[in-house]
Amino acid sequence: MSTAHHLAPPDGAEQLSLVTPAPWSTGDPYSDALRTGRGPLFLRRTDGWLLPLDVERWCAAADAVDLKVLGRCEGAVLDIGCGPGRLVAALAAQGQRALGIDVSEAAVARAARLGGQALCRSVFEPVPAEGRWDTALLMDGNLGIGGDPRALLDRLSQLLAPGGLLIAETAPVDVDERFSVQVVHHTGARDAAGAPFPWARLGTLALLRHAAHAGWHTVSQWTAGGRCFAALRSRRTSSSAEPPKSTAVISSQRARNRSPQSPVTDR
């Protein structure tokens, strides 16, 4: 099944209609939790280990820790695994160009209701303005996407402009692991579970180790509100991207004295 999503670009540019897959069914535990804004929701490994998912915080407005992270963003921001959209909505409210992508239709719909721009899209599928994003966000454990951190970092280097910034939230413990998980609504009596998928979990040291091998430069690392973060910069210094075409998708501010009106277009 496919669904057409209409991304309304800023500055009166032509509207772009994108047809994207609906990989998560409307009745899966994650979608149901996003619709209600409540858990309890967990990632469950095959050995039964449970990782709590903070659905209530994700469905609330961006908090003080989130806003400090957003204050570090440069130019046009791509929020990967945007979930219900609190970050893209906060960026939009600040007048900053931002796009969220998520494989959950329920997440994208909620992000749009909050006023953020979002597409139902995997990071490993074509993304608007590839190679021209100034900042990429991987928050709320989204370093785990795909279960292969090196592949994810390589993909982000393709999405970001040369020298682009990645801000990632890491696990609050020193861990570097990969496993298969299911999203489950766990009540102790009866569980509702989604389909299994690969996932990874990285602490800050593990991220920095993988990033160094993948050609990233560490900018900073910090903790706030019991959460851990790292900022990395792509070492890619040149791009083979074609000149922008006429259909504007999102605006970008490249280099240090960025202009909020400079267009970035879809290829």
Side-chain angles (χ1 to χ4, degrees), residues 89-117:
L91 287 166
Q94 296 171 3
Q96 192 158 359
R97 308 302 184 191
L99 175 69
I101 57 173
D102 201 290
V103 297
S104 165
E105 287 187 328
V108 168
R110 186 160 183 144
R113 288 197 298 271
L114 291 177
Q117 294 193 55

PDB file of all heavy atoms in Angstrom, residues 89-117:
ATOM      1  N   ALA A  89       8.331  20.446  14.942  1.00  0.00           N
ATOM      2  CA  ALA A  89       7.344  21.475  15.270  1.00  0.00           C
ATOM      3  C   ALA A  89       8.002  22.636  16.011  1.00  0.00           C
ATOM      4  O   ALA A  89       7.701  23.809  15.747  1.00  0.00           O
ATOM      5  CB  ALA A  89       6.214  20.878  16.106  1.00  0.00           C
ATOM      6  N   ALA A  90       8.903  22.326  16.943  1.00  0.00           N
ATOM      7  CA  ALA A  90       9.598  23.387  17.681  1.00  0.00           C
ATOM      8  C   ALA A  90      10.485  24.205  16.748  1.00  0.00           C
ATOM      9  O   ALA A  90      10.550  25.434  16.853  1.00  0.00           O
ATOM     10  CB  ALA A  90      10.423  22.778  18.806  1.00  0.00           C
ATOM     11  N   LEU A  91      11.172  23.535  15.824  1.00  0.00           N
ATOM     12  CA  LEU A  91      12.005  24.251  14.868  1.00  0.00           C
ATOM     13  C   LEU A  91      11.154  25.143  13.968  1.00  0.00           C
ATOM     14  O   LEU A  91      11.515  26.294  13.680  1.00  0.00           O
ATOM     15  CB  LEU A  91      12.814  23.266  14.025  1.00  0.00           C
ATOM     16  CG  LEU A  91      13.968  22.570  14.750  1.00  0.00           C
ATOM     17  CD1 LEU A  91      14.462  21.379  13.940  1.00  0.00           C
ATOM     18  CD2 LEU A  91      15.114  23.544  15.013  1.00  0.00           C
ATOM     19  N   ALA A  92      10.011  24.623  13.518  1.00  0.00           N
ATOM     20  CA  ALA A  92       9.124  25.421  12.680  1.00  0.00           C
ATOM     21  C   ALA A  92       8.625  26.654  13.440  1.00  0.00           C
ATOM     22  O   ALA A  92       8.545  27.747  12.869  1.00  0.00           O
ATOM     23  CB  ALA A  92       7.947  24.575  12.210  1.00  0.00           C
ATOM     24  N   ALA A  93       8.310  26.482  14.724  1.00  0.00           N
ATOM     25  CA  ALA A  93       7.848  27.608  15.529  1.00  0.00           C
ATOM     26  C   ALA A  93       8.920  28.677  15.684  1.00  0.00           C
ATOM     27  O   ALA A  93       8.613  29.855  15.872  1.00  0.00           O
ATOM     28  CB  ALA A  93       7.387  27.114  16.904  1.00  0.00           C
ATOM     29  N   GLN A  94      10.185  28.265  15.609  1.00  0.00           N
ATOM     30  CA  GLN A  94      11.299  29.202  15.694  1.00  0.00           C
ATOM     31  C   GLN A  94      11.639  29.821  14.341  1.00  0.00           C
ATOM     32  O   GLN A  94      12.541  30.647  14.243  1.00  0.00           O
ATOM     33  CB  GLN A  94      12.539  28.489  16.243  1.00  0.00           C
ATOM     34  CG  GLN A  94      12.388  27.977  17.663  1.00  0.00           C
ATOM     35  CD  GLN A  94      13.546  27.087  18.098  1.00  0.00           C
ATOM     36  OE1 GLN A  94      14.506  26.898  17.356  1.00  0.00           O
ATOM     37  NE2 GLN A  94      13.445  26.531  19.287  1.00  0.00           N
ATOM     38  N   GLY A  95      10.937  29.403  13.295  1.00  0.00           N
ATOM     39  CA  GLY A  95      11.202  29.912  11.963  1.00  0.00           C
ATOM     40  C   GLY A  95      12.372  29.254  11.262  1.00  0.00           C
ATOM     41  O   GLY A  95      12.875  29.782  10.271  1.00  0.00           O
ATOM     42  N   GLN A  96      12.796  28.080  11.772  1.00  0.00           N
ATOM     43  CA  GLN A  96      13.933  27.390  11.172  1.00  0.00           C
ATOM     44  C   GLN A  96      13.443  26.317  10.212  1.00  0.00           C
ATOM     45  O   GLN A  96      12.446  25.632  10.466  1.00  0.00           O
ATOM     46  CB  GLN A  96      14.816  26.753  12.242  1.00  0.00           C
ATOM     47  CG  GLN A  96      16.157  26.271  11.728  1.00  0.00           C
ATOM     48  CD  GLN A  96      17.187  26.155  12.840  1.00  0.00           C
ATOM     49  OE1 GLN A  96      16.896  26.453  13.988  1.00  0.00           O
ATOM     50  NE2 GLN A  96      18.387  25.752  12.501  1.00  0.00           N
ATOM     51  N   ARG A  97      14.131  26.148   9.089  1.00  0.00           N
ATOM     52  CA  ARG A  97      13.744  25.155   8.104  1.00  0.00           C
ATOM     53  C   ARG A  97      14.028  23.757   8.634  1.00  0.00           C
ATOM     54  O   ARG A  97      15.146  23.461   9.061  1.00  0.00           O
ATOM     55  CB  ARG A  97      14.515  25.362   6.795  1.00  0.00           C
ATOM     56  CG  ARG A  97      14.463  26.765   6.245  1.00  0.00           C
ATOM     57  CD  ARG A  97      13.049  27.232   5.994  1.00  0.00           C
ATOM     58  NE  ARG A  97      13.045  28.538   5.371  1.00  0.00           N
ATOM     59  CZ  ARG A  97      11.960  29.285   5.221  1.00  0.00           C
ATOM     60  NH1 ARG A  97      10.794  28.859   5.660  1.00  0.00           N
ATOM     61  NH2 ARG A  97      12.050  30.461   4.617  1.00  0.00           N
ATOM     62  N   ALA A  98      13.032  22.884   8.583  1.00  0.00           N
ATOM     63  CA  ALA A  98      13.212  21.537   9.129  1.00  0.00           C
ATOM     64  C   ALA A  98      12.261  20.577   8.437  1.00  0.00           C
ATOM     65  O   ALA A  98      11.135  20.937   8.079  1.00  0.00           O
ATOM     66  CB  ALA A  98      12.970  21.520  10.631  1.00  0.00           C
ATOM     67  N   LEU A  99      12.716  19.342   8.280  1.00  0.00           N
ATOM     68  CA  LEU A  99      11.903  18.259   7.745  1.00  0.00           C
ATOM     69  C   LEU A  99      12.141  17.028   8.591  1.00  0.00           C
ATOM     70  O   LEU A  99      13.288  16.688   8.905  1.00  0.00           O
ATOM     71  CB  LEU A  99      12.275  17.963   6.291  1.00  0.00           C
ATOM     72  CG  LEU A  99      11.582  16.751   5.642  1.00  0.00           C
ATOM     73  CD1 LEU A  99      10.097  17.031   5.447  1.00  0.00           C
ATOM     74  CD2 LEU A  99      12.233  16.391   4.305  1.00  0.00           C
ATOM     75  N   GLY A 100      11.068  16.350   8.970  1.00  0.00           N
ATOM     76  CA  GLY A 100      11.174  15.080   9.668  1.00  0.00           C
ATOM     77  C   GLY A 100      10.861  13.930   8.732  1.00  0.00           C
ATOM     78  O   GLY A 100      10.021  14.068   7.835  1.00  0.00           O
ATOM     79  N   ILE A 101      11.542  12.804   8.930  1.00  0.00           N
ATOM     80  CA  ILE A 101      11.189  11.583   8.208  1.00  0.00           C
ATOM     81  C   ILE A 101      10.994  10.467   9.222  1.00  0.00           C
ATOM     82  O   ILE A 101      11.708  10.395  10.231  1.00  0.00           O
ATOM     83  CB  ILE A 101      12.241  11.183   7.148  1.00  0.00           C
ATOM     84  CG1 ILE A 101      13.625  10.999   7.777  1.00  0.00           C
ATOM     85  CG2 ILE A 101      12.286  12.200   6.028  1.00  0.00           C
ATOM     86  CD1 ILE A 101      14.664  10.432   6.809  1.00  0.00           C
ATOM     87  N   ASP A 102      10.030   9.601   8.956  1.00  0.00           N
ATOM     88  CA  ASP A 102       9.739   8.493   9.863  1.00  0.00           C
ATOM     89  C   ASP A 102       9.003   7.427   9.058  1.00  0.00           C
ATOM     90  O   ASP A 102       8.259   7.750   8.116  1.00  0.00           O
ATOM     91  CB  ASP A 102       8.876   8.959  11.033  1.00  0.00           C
ATOM     92  CG  ASP A 102       8.974   8.025  12.234  1.00  0.00           C
ATOM     93  OD1 ASP A 102       8.455   6.891  12.160  1.00  0.00           O
ATOM     94  OD2 ASP A 102       9.577   8.417  13.251  1.00  0.00           O
ATOM     95  N   VAL A 103       9.212   6.161   9.402  1.00  0.00           N
ATOM     96  CA  VAL A 103       8.543   5.069   8.690  1.00  0.00           C
ATOM     97  C   VAL A 103       7.128   4.829   9.195  1.00  0.00           C
ATOM     98  O   VAL A 103       6.401   4.011   8.631  1.00  0.00           O
ATOM     99  CB  VAL A 103       9.361   3.755   8.773  1.00  0.00           C
ATOM    100  CG1 VAL A 103      10.705   3.913   8.086  1.00  0.00           C
ATOM    101  CG2 VAL A 103       9.524   3.300  10.218  1.00  0.00           C
ATOM    102  N   SER A 104       6.724   5.529  10.238  1.00  0.00           N
ATOM    103  CA  SER A 104       5.382   5.352  10.801  1.00  0.00           C
ATOM    104  C   SER A 104       4.443   6.428  10.270  1.00  0.00           C
ATOM    105  O   SER A 104       4.676   7.622  10.458  1.00  0.00           O
ATOM    106  CB  SER A 104       5.445   5.428  12.328  1.00  0.00           C
ATOM    107  OG  SER A 104       4.143   5.595  12.870  1.00  0.00           O
ATOM    108  N   GLU A 105       3.373   6.007   9.610  1.00  0.00           N
ATOM    109  CA  GLU A 105       2.379   6.961   9.138  1.00  0.00           C
ATOM    110  C   GLU A 105       1.739   7.717  10.290  1.00  0.00           C
ATOM    111  O   GLU A 105       1.440   8.910  10.180  1.00  0.00           O
ATOM    112  CB  GLU A 105       1.301   6.236   8.333  1.00  0.00           C
ATOM    113  CG  GLU A 105       1.753   5.767   6.970  1.00  0.00           C
ATOM    114  CD  GLU A 105       0.602   5.203   6.155  1.00  0.00           C
ATOM    115  OE1 GLU A 105      -0.323   4.627   6.758  1.00  0.00           O
ATOM    116  OE2 GLU A 105       0.636   5.349   4.928  1.00  0.00           O
ATOM    117  N   ALA A 106       1.509   7.031  11.419  1.00  0.00           N
ATOM    118  CA  ALA A 106       0.898   7.691  12.563  1.00  0.00           C
ATOM    119  C   ALA A 106       1.804   8.795  13.094  1.00  0.00           C
ATOM    120  O   ALA A 106       1.337   9.868  13.501  1.00  0.00           O
ATOM    121  CB  ALA A 106       0.610   6.668  13.665  1.00  0.00           C
ATOM    122  N   ALA A 107       3.123   8.549  13.102  1.00  0.00           N
ATOM    123  CA  ALA A 107       4.065   9.565  13.559  1.00  0.00           C
ATOM    124  C   ALA A 107       4.049  10.771  12.638  1.00  0.00           C
ATOM    125  O   ALA A 107       3.998  11.928  13.093  1.00  0.00           O
ATOM    126  CB  ALA A 107       5.473   8.972  13.633  1.00  0.00           C
ATOM    127  N   VAL A 108       4.090  10.529  11.336  1.00  0.00           N
ATOM    128  CA  VAL A 108       4.100  11.628  10.372  1.00  0.00           C
ATOM    129  C   VAL A 108       2.819  12.437  10.466  1.00  0.00           C
ATOM    130  O   VAL A 108       2.836  13.679  10.417  1.00  0.00           O
ATOM    131  CB  VAL A 108       4.310  11.064   8.949  1.00  0.00           C
ATOM    132  CG1 VAL A 108       4.046  12.117   7.894  1.00  0.00           C
ATOM    133  CG2 VAL A 108       5.723  10.509   8.816  1.00  0.00           C
ATOM    134  N   ALA A 109       1.681  11.760  10.619  1.00  0.00           N
ATOM    135  CA  ALA A 109       0.405  12.473  10.737  1.00  0.00           C
ATOM    136  C   ALA A 109       0.376  13.351  11.982  1.00  0.00           C
ATOM    137  O   ALA A 109      -0.098  14.497  11.944  1.00  0.00           O
ATOM    138  CB  ALA A 109      -0.742  11.466  10.775  1.00  0.00           C
ATOM    139  N   ARG A 110       0.910  12.846  13.081  1.00  0.00           N
ATOM    140  CA  ARG A 110       0.911  13.638  14.311  1.00  0.00           C
ATOM    141  C   ARG A 110       1.861  14.828  14.188  1.00  0.00           C
ATOM    142  O   ARG A 110       1.564  15.926  14.651  1.00  0.00           O
ATOM    143  CB  ARG A 110       1.295  12.759  15.498  1.00  0.00           C
ATOM    144  CG  ARG A 110       1.187  13.482  16.834  1.00  0.00           C
ATOM    145  CD  ARG A 110       1.085  12.530  17.995  1.00  0.00           C
ATOM    146  NE  ARG A 110       0.920  13.260  19.230  1.00  0.00           N
ATOM    147  CZ  ARG A 110       0.182  12.872  20.249  1.00  0.00           C
ATOM    148  NH1 ARG A 110      -0.501  11.747  20.167  1.00  0.00           N
ATOM    149  NH2 ARG A 110       0.092  13.589  21.357  1.00  0.00           N
ATOM    150  N   ALA A 111       3.003  14.611  13.546  1.00  0.00           N
ATOM    151  CA  ALA A 111       3.940  15.716  13.331  1.00  0.00           C
ATOM    152  C   ALA A 111       3.294  16.825  12.511  1.00  0.00           C
ATOM    153  O   ALA A 111       3.464  18.016  12.803  1.00  0.00           O
ATOM    154  CB  ALA A 111       5.200  15.202  12.640  1.00  0.00           C
ATOM    155  N   ALA A 112       2.560  16.444  11.478  1.00  0.00           N
ATOM    156  CA  ALA A 112       1.896  17.444  10.645  1.00  0.00           C
ATOM    157  C   ALA A 112       0.847  18.217  11.440  1.00  0.00           C
ATOM    158  O   ALA A 112       0.701  19.437  11.271  1.00  0.00           O
ATOM    159  CB  ALA A 112       1.259  16.767   9.434  1.00  0.00           C
ATOM    160  N   ARG A 113       0.131  17.528  12.321  1.00  0.00           N
ATOM    161  CA  ARG A 113      -0.880  18.223  13.132  1.00  0.00           C
ATOM    162  C   ARG A 113      -0.239  19.237  14.066  1.00  0.00           C
ATOM    163  O   ARG A 113      -0.861  20.253  14.419  1.00  0.00           O
ATOM    164  CB  ARG A 113      -1.700  17.208  13.937  1.00  0.00           C
ATOM    165  CG  ARG A 113      -2.656  16.381  13.082  1.00  0.00           C
ATOM    166  CD  ARG A 113      -3.709  15.700  13.937  1.00  0.00           C
ATOM    167  NE  ARG A 113      -3.139  14.761  14.886  1.00  0.00           N
ATOM    168  CZ  ARG A 113      -2.907  13.475  14.622  1.00  0.00           C
ATOM    169  NH1 ARG A 113      -3.159  12.992  13.417  1.00  0.00           N
ATOM    170  NH2 ARG A 113      -2.415  12.676  15.547  1.00  0.00           N
ATOM    171  N   LEU A 114       0.997  18.978  14.478  1.00  0.00           N
ATOM    172  CA  LEU A 114       1.705  19.909  15.353  1.00  0.00           C
ATOM    173  C   LEU A 114       2.292  21.098  14.597  1.00  0.00           C
ATOM    174  O   LEU A 114       2.807  22.029  15.219  1.00  0.00           O
ATOM    175  CB  LEU A 114       2.835  19.182  16.095  1.00  0.00           C
ATOM    176  CG  LEU A 114       2.429  18.163  17.150  1.00  0.00           C
ATOM    177  CD1 LEU A 114       3.676  17.488  17.731  1.00  0.00           C
ATOM    178  CD2 LEU A 114       1.609  18.816  18.264  1.00  0.00           C
ATOM    179  N   GLY A 115       2.240  21.057  13.277  1.00  0.00           N
ATOM    180  CA  GLY A 115       2.776  22.151  12.490  1.00  0.00           C
ATOM    181  C   GLY A 115       4.142  21.902  11.899  1.00  0.00           C
ATOM    182  O   GLY A 115       4.745  22.807  11.314  1.00  0.00           O
ATOM    183  N   GLY A 116       4.667  20.675  12.035  1.00  0.00           N
ATOM    184  CA  GLY A 116       5.961  20.346  11.459  1.00  0.00           C
ATOM    185  C   GLY A 116       5.800  19.731  10.082  1.00  0.00           C
ATOM    186  O   GLY A 116       4.752  19.166   9.756  1.00  0.00           O
ATOM    187  N   GLN A 117       6.828  19.834   9.242  1.00  0.00           N
ATOM    188  CA  GLN A 117       6.828  19.169   7.945  1.00  0.00           C
ATOM    189  C   GLN A 117       7.475  17.798   8.100  1.00  0.00           C
ATOM    190  O   GLN A 117       8.554  17.676   8.687  1.00  0.00           O
ATOM    191  CB  GLN A 117       7.601  19.991   6.920  1.00  0.00           C
ATOM    192  CG  GLN A 117       6.937  21.322   6.588  1.00  0.00           C
ATOM    193  CD  GLN A 117       7.554  21.952   5.365  1.00  0.00           C
ATOM    194  OE1 GLN A 117       7.619  21.335   4.300  1.00  0.00           O
ATOM    195  NE2 GLN A 117       8.022  23.181   5.499  1.00  0.00           N
TER     196      GLN A 117
END
